[in-house]
Structures are given as C-alpha cells and as structure tokens.
Amino acid sequence: MELCFNQGLALGYKNESQRVRAMSEDWIANNIGCPCCGYHKLNHYENNRPVADFYCENCGETFELKSKSGPLGRKIVDGAYKTAIERITSNTNPSLFVLQYNEYSVVNLEIIPKYFFTPNIIEARKPLAESARRHGWQGCNIIFGDIPEQGRIPIIKDKELIEQEKVVNEFEKTTMLKVNDISKRGWLFDILKCVNSIRKDEFTLNDMYKFEEKLKKIHPDNNNVKPKIRQQLQLLRDKGYIEFIGNGIYRKIS
C-alpha cells in the first residue's frame, strides 16, 4: 500500500488545513475499505457535508476523518461545540477515522466506532472574541486520550497495514459495548477505563472502589457510586469483557 499523500491535490489551496484535508480524504477513498463490514471501498460525500466525510454503500455506515501531523496527543481539534454535542446526544454521529501523518505520509490510522463518543470527551474551547469575524463562535476538542482503548481500533500501526479481517472482527467485537442511552454509555465507559488502568489481569472490587472519588467528580449527581460500580462490572461481565471469579475477584478477558 502507498502511504504517501498525492501532493498534487494540494495545488490551488492556500490554507494548510485545506491542503491536508484534500490529500487525506483522497488517500482514504483510494486505500481504505469499510472497517464495519469489510466492503472493499468507501464513497466520499460531497464537499462540506456537515454530517460525515465517507459512507459505505454496502452497510450504510458513515465516517468522519480527522488528520493530525506529529504525535496525536490527548486532544484533536474539532468543529463547533454545539453541533458536536447535538450529534452525539442524538446518536447521529459518524464513526471517526483518526489519521496521523508525517511529511504527508501516513504513520497511524485508527477507527473509533460512533458509540464510543460521550459528551464528556467533547471539550468546549473559548468562544471567539468580539473582534473576530465569527465572534461568539465556539469550537471544541475531542479528548482522544479519554476514549477506552477498546474503542481505538488500529488499521495502520507504525506504517504497517493491519489485515482487514482482523479490523472487521475487532469492530464487530465492540458492538457488544454499544449503548444508545448517553448517560448509561458514559458510566459504562468510565468504569471500563478504570478497569483498563489496573495493570494486572485479575483485580478486586476493592481495587475498583479506589476510583470512587474520581467517579464522583465525573458524575456529581450520583450519590451511590459503589453500587454503580458493581452494576457496571456486571454489565461488562455480561458483555464478555471481564469474568467474575468469586469472592470479589474479577479477571479481564482479552
């Protein structure tokens, strides 16, 4: 697979972000199949479509693309804050391709299924000043680092293409974590992130209770955090991500 962008497409654009957008979208359209169903190609929507950048004509899944030069870090710049929140809370948001490039060549590419997005990972930026042409407009960042690792499926890793069958299988596996209710989705993924942060395969209920104060800050309206932790651990067990051994001990399932 050719990892380099077609730099000829950048001609005529004065803005670097526009150049990168043209080149990266062309690269996806010519090189990447659907990570959801495995169909061999994705179709590109017309320019400036507010909902998504690509769609699969086979399964109907839609995708947005965000590209970044250099290390991805914890945050990715997104568009309007209000629009982002409305899309997530209405369950109309597309799945997200996150592409890292260096010198116009792809280094890493991940797909984040749409049901991994919660309002907590959308960070509002400061509104534009009154002196700005679009004064009052408020953008946002995607807190990429707060997405559970199970929701960041590699397609290209360190310039190496992952077998498409494996990508599709990983995408399919994540559907077990799909929760349409936004508030319930937030709790499930917050508990999953706590489980991920425990650096051992087996852990106890007391290990999870150590996250109580952190979870209270994220969910200040909930006064029964410990019962909520137990409830969400049961959900993760039912969804096949952990197993209950007994006596307050759990084991991660890889």
Side-chain angles (χ1 to χ4, degrees), residues 48-103:
N48 300 318
R49 183 181 175 91
V51 176
D53 298 316
F54 302 94
Y55 68 95
C56 175
E57 64 183 33
N58 184 56
C59 69
E61 190 72 27
T62 59
F63 305 90
E64 188 176 11
L65 172 64
K66 295 293 182 184
S67 301
K68 187 174 182 180
S69 177
L72 290 174
R74 289 193 68 249
K75 300 180 182 181
I76 300 173
V77 176
D78 199 12
Y81 174 73
K82 182 180 179 181
T83 301
I85 294 297
E86 287 176 349
R87 286 189 348 188
I88 289 172
T89 54
S90 66
N91 292 307
T92 61
N93 58 307
S95 295
L96 181 68
F97 285 117
V98 178
L99 186 153
Q100 177 197 2
Y101 66 94
N102 184 35
E103 296 181 350

Side-chain angles (χ1 to χ4, degrees), residues 3-239:
L3 296 177
C4 294
F5 293 161
N6 179 0
Q7 296 185 44
L9 297 173
L11 300 176
Y13 291 101
K14 295 181 180 179
N15 184 285
E16 175 64 7
S17 64
Q18 292 177 329
R19 289 194 287 267
V20 170
R21 183 174 182 83
M23 291 186 291
S24 60
E25 288 185 357
D26 171 78
W27 186 88
I28 290 286
N30 285 298
N31 291 279
I32 299 300
C34 179
C36 180
C37 71
Y39 191 64
H40 68 281
K41 65 170 291 186
L42 294 174
N43 292 328
H44 191 244
Y45 278 120
E46 65 271 19
N47 290 336
N48 300 318
R49 183 181 175 91
V51 176
D53 298 316
F54 302 94
Y55 68 95
C56 175
E57 64 183 33
N58 184 56
C59 69
E61 190 72 27
T62 59
F63 305 90
E64 188 176 11
L65 172 64
K66 295 293 182 184
S67 301
K68 187 174 182 180
S69 177
L72 290 174
R74 289 193 68 249
K75 300 180 182 181
I76 300 173
V77 176
D78 199 12
Y81 174 73
K82 182 180 179 181
T83 301
I85 294 297
E86 287 176 349
R87 286 189 348 188
I88 289 172
T89 54
S90 66
N91 292 307
T92 61
N93 58 307
S95 295
L96 181 68
F97 285 117
V98 178
L99 186 153
Q100 177 197 2
Y101 66 94
N102 184 35
E103 296 181 350
Y104 299 144
S105 181
V106 178
V107 179
N108 291 296
L109 176 67
E110 298 180 4
I111 181 67
I112 303 170
K114 58 188 177 185
Y115 37 83
F116 276 84
F117 285 86
T118 64
N120 283 342
I121 67 167
I122 304 298
E123 177 188 64
R125 300 202 305 270
K126 186 177 179 180
L128 296 181
E130 291 190 8
S131 58
R133 182 172 59 86
R134 293 192 297 165
H135 65 86
W137 184 86
Q138 187 174 30
C140 67
N141 298 315
I142 299 171
I143 311 300
F144 182 67
D146 282 354
I147 297 172
E149 61 189 51
Q150 289 83 357
R152 296 172 52 174
I153 303 168
I155 298 174
I156 292 176
K157 186 172 183 179
D158 297 328
K159 300 184 179 182
E160 293 292 331
L161 179 67
I162 307 298
E163 185 179 354
Q164 188 177 32
E165 183 178 359
K166 182 177 181 180
V167 173
V168 173
N169 288 340
E170 289 297 316
F171 197 104
E172 175 63 24
K173 183 180 177 181
T174 68
T175 60
M176 292 294 294
L177 292 169
K178 184 177 181 180
V179 177
N180 289 327
D181 185 290
I182 292 294
S183 61
K184 293 179 180 179
R185 183 191 303 176
W187 263 108
L188 182 65
F189 290 148
D190 288 335
I191 295 300
L192 181 57
K193 286 185 288 186
C194 292
V195 171
N196 290 341
S197 69
I198 299 174
R199 297 304 177 189
K200 52 186 178 180
D201 290 334
E202 292 187 4
F203 62 95
T204 67
L205 195 55
N206 285 331
D207 288 330
M208 291 299 298
Y209 286 160
K210 293 177 183 178
F211 297 101
E212 183 178 8
E213 291 303 315
K214 176 181 179 180
L215 291 165
K216 280 183 178 179
K217 292 179 180 179
I218 299 173
H219 302 275
D221 296 332
N222 190 296
N223 297 316
N224 298 290
V225 174
K226 285 184 177 179
K228 198 71 174 180
I229 290 173
R230 295 194 297 271
Q231 178 195 61
Q232 298 304 305
L233 287 174
Q234 183 173 334
L235 280 176
L236 288 174
R237 182 201 65 187
D238 294 344
K239 292 175 180 294

